[in-house]
Amino acid sequence: MLRTVILIVTLVFSGVLRGQELRPKLPPVLLQMIRDSSVQDELKLNASQRDRVLQALRSIDGRWFRSRNLPAEKQRAEISTLSAELEGSLKRILDESQHQRLAQLRRQALGTRMFSLHEVAQALQLSSTQQNEINAAFIETDRRAADHPKQMQKGELQAKEGQQKVAKLKHDERQALLQTLTTDQQSKIGGLTGEPFDFSKIKRSLPLAPEITERGVSWIQGGPLKLDELKGKVVAVHYYAFQCINCRRNLPHYNAWHQDYADKGLVVIGIQTPETSAEKNRDRVAAAVKNDGIEYPVLLDSDSANWKTWNNTMWPTVYLIDKQGFLRRWWQGEMNWQGTSGEQQMRQTIEQLLTEAS
């Protein structure tokens, strides 16, 4: 108890809590899980409900995807807004029993962090002191865990050791939580979470891929294409600039994907977004496409309209999109930079996506 009081006071005077509630960051689990068929099956959604959920996702996923590059606080505010919008839509789509089960799944997905939810605090009748103790413990865990990537980057901490330290932090957090709750409160947790759900079944937790815009573009070959028309196919969209050396080192991998998987259902699309004035010249882009032996569709994104829609920050970047149009993975920079096995990892994901049902 004394340690928690000291921690809360420290957080206040360090500026972490000044002028704001003592609340930790919560992962956007509702945004992440509602798009997956295993969750929709668990909720027993009918075909009409699934279509309405998809339409609700279309209205928010673009903003969610673009928020990934916002400053931390702005990103947090945007995700909070989008989660609230989605929750409002789901209240109109789901019946009462489905809504209650979704609430249980959300709490399960949050794990210990569910105790930061107002609804959980109310159900367990947590005192303000308990809530502050719990949230302070969460914030302290996040603070300590945030140091590990920095230490690994500096070579001060190995990856395995970092994972062990994070696991210990979570263990300590759970123990502190149990000590904070009364026996009666602990007995009510099962009713809040319901029957356990196997979250390892979830495959889709990322947004729908933004549609390719035709504004200011010129198809060099193979177009025009729309992602919405490629449902049932796995799609790899890569952004590049033909004079960019890092981009050029990735091009043979995209060519190999096209050669190895096109007949199995993979569509590769290159989007050449100019970084220099020469890369705005259609003839030079077309000549580079020919010289590099590119046979898949390529468009020249002259005004960077697609680049901005996807909110890219780096040449090269490649995205993998599943048969339903959801982003499943992306890679920024050279895939095999300094011995990294990025191309192999992406190839494995392509093969996995190709085996999935449409």
Side-chain angles (χ1 to χ4, degrees), residues 6-132:
I6 293 173
L7 175 58
I8 293 172
V9 172
T10 301
L11 290 171
V12 170
F13 281 96
S14 67
V16 173
L17 308 179
R18 193 178 298 129
Q20 66 183 68
E21 277 190 285
L22 176 59
R23 290 205 172 274
K25 295 178 181 178
L26 299 181
V29 294
L30 182 62
L31 279 169
Q32 293 169 332
M33 68 182 181
I34 192 60
R35 63 198 62 245
D36 192 83
S37 57
S38 66
V39 172
Q40 295 179 4
D41 290 344
E42 177 70 15
L43 297 176
K44 298 180 173 58
L45 301 191
N46 59 39
S48 174
Q49 287 176 313
R50 291 172 195 253
D51 286 342
R52 291 174 68 191
V53 167
L54 182 60
Q55 290 306 312
L57 294 176
R58 287 186 188 281
S59 71
I60 63 175
D61 271 8
R63 286 177 289 160
W64 181 31
F65 184 49
R66 288 187 288 276
S67 75
R68 73 193 189 281
N69 294 325
L70 292 174
E73 286 307 312
K74 288 186 177 180
Q75 182 188 64
R76 187 177 180 182
E78 178 73 343
I79 288 176
S80 177
T81 298
L82 296 175
S83 296
E85 285 186 27
L86 178 59
E87 194 163 5
S89 296
L90 292 175
K91 284 180 179 178
R92 296 187 291 272
I93 296 170
L94 309 183
D95 64 30
E96 184 58 31
S97 64
Q98 291 170 329
H99 189 71
Q100 288 180 2
R101 183 53 177 158
L102 179 60
Q104 291 177 338
L105 296 182
R106 183 188 181 201
R107 294 169 197 143
Q108 286 187 40
L110 285 171
T112 57
R113 300 304 168 102
M114 77 173 188
F115 294 98
S116 288
L117 297 175
H118 181 67
E119 68 204 51
V120 172
Q122 275 193 322
L124 298 182
Q125 295 183 316
L126 297 179
S127 68
S128 58
T129 300
Q130 284 179 305
Q131 291 179 58
N132 281 338

Side-chain angles (χ1 to χ4, degrees), residues 1 7 28 38 40 47 52 76 89 94 131 140 169 189 223 232 239 241 249 252 257 259 273 316 319 332:
M1 178 68 177
L7 175 58
S38 66
Q40 295 179 4
R52 291 174 68 191
R76 187 177 180 182
S89 296
L94 309 183
Q131 291 179 58
E140 178 68 359
L169 283 174
I189 294 174
Y239 283 84
R249 288 172 181 156
W257 295 352
Q259 293 166 7
T273 304
Y319 301 89
Q332 292 180 300

Side-chain angles (χ1 to χ4, degrees), residues 75-343:
Q75 182 188 64
R76 187 177 180 182
E78 178 73 343
I79 288 176
S80 177
T81 298
L82 296 175
S83 296
E85 285 186 27
L86 178 59
E87 194 163 5
S89 296
L90 292 175
K91 284 180 179 178
R92 296 187 291 272
I93 296 170
L94 309 183
D95 64 30
E96 184 58 31
S97 64
Q98 291 170 329
H99 189 71
Q100 288 180 2
R101 183 53 177 158
L102 179 60
Q104 291 177 338
L105 296 182
R106 183 188 181 201
R107 294 169 197 143
Q108 286 187 40
L110 285 171
T112 57
R113 300 304 168 102
M114 77 173 188
F115 294 98
S116 288
L117 297 175
H118 181 67
E119 68 204 51
V120 172
Q122 275 193 322
L124 298 182
Q125 295 183 316
L126 297 179
S127 68
S128 58
T129 300
Q130 284 179 305
Q131 291 179 58
N132 281 338
E133 288 179 2
I134 291 169
N135 289 330
F138 293 159
I139 290 173
E140 178 68 359
T141 298
D142 291 342
R143 186 188 67 78
R144 292 186 178 184
D147 290 334
H148 294 161
K150 300 172 188 175
Q151 291 175 325
M152 285 190 283
Q153 198 170 30
K154 294 177 181 177
E156 300 171 355
L157 189 68
Q158 297 299 314
K160 187 175 181 180
E161 186 183 0
Q163 292 170 359
Q164 291 172 343
K165 284 182 176 290
V166 170
K168 185 177 186 307
L169 283 174
K170 291 182 177 179
H171 174 268
D172 292 345
E173 179 180 278
R174 285 193 295 272
Q175 292 304 113
L177 180 64
L178 290 175
Q179 292 174 11
T180 302
L181 299 176
T182 66
T183 303
D184 181 60
Q185 288 168 333
Q186 292 181 37
S187 70
K188 296 177 180 177
I189 294 174
L192 292 172
T193 56
E195 288 295 317
F197 177 77
D198 183 5
F199 285 92
S200 68
K201 296 188 295 185
I202 291 181
K203 297 176 180 178
R204 297 186 180 95
S205 60
L206 296 173
L208 287 158
E211 184 56 89
I212 295 173
T213 179
E214 294 292 319
R215 190 172 70 256
V217 310
S218 173
W219 284 90
I220 303 299
Q221 61 185 28
L225 294 175
K226 287 287 187 182
L227 295 180
D228 196 51
E229 298 168 352
L230 295 174
K231 294 292 178 61
K233 300 280 188 180
V234 176
V235 183
V237 176
H238 77 85
Y239 283 84
Y240 78 112
F242 78 81
Q243 291 183 321
C244 160
I245 186 60
N246 305 99
C247 299
R248 295 188 60 78
R249 288 172 181 156
N250 273 0
L251 290 178
H253 302 311
Y254 310 142
N255 285 341
W257 295 352
H258 174 69
Q259 293 166 7
D260 294 344
Y261 302 119
D263 61 348
K264 296 180 174 67
L266 175 71
V267 177
V268 181
I269 301 173
I271 298 183
Q272 210 272 181
T273 304
E275 188 176 11
T276 67
S277 58
E279 290 160 348
K280 295 181 179 181
N281 186 298
R282 191 186 190 285
D283 291 339
R284 295 191 64 174
V285 173
V289 166
K290 184 176 180 179
N291 291 338
D292 289 320
I294 297 175
E295 298 178 350
Y296 50 79
V298 175
L299 67 83
L300 171 58
D301 191 26
S302 301
D303 299 331
S304 301
N306 285 284
W307 178 276
K308 293 172 184 175
T309 298
W310 290 60
N311 202 13
N312 288 315
T313 59
M314 181 185 296
W315 291 270
T317 298
V318 57
Y319 301 89
L320 297 181
I321 304 164
D322 71 15
K323 295 176 183 179
Q324 296 298 318
F326 288 90
L327 290 158
R328 297 291 288 275
R329 190 169 193 168
W330 65 82
W331 193 279
Q332 292 180 300
E334 290 184 36
M335 287 184 286
N336 288 349
W337 175 254
Q338 296 184 343
T340 305
S341 60
E343 194 276 336

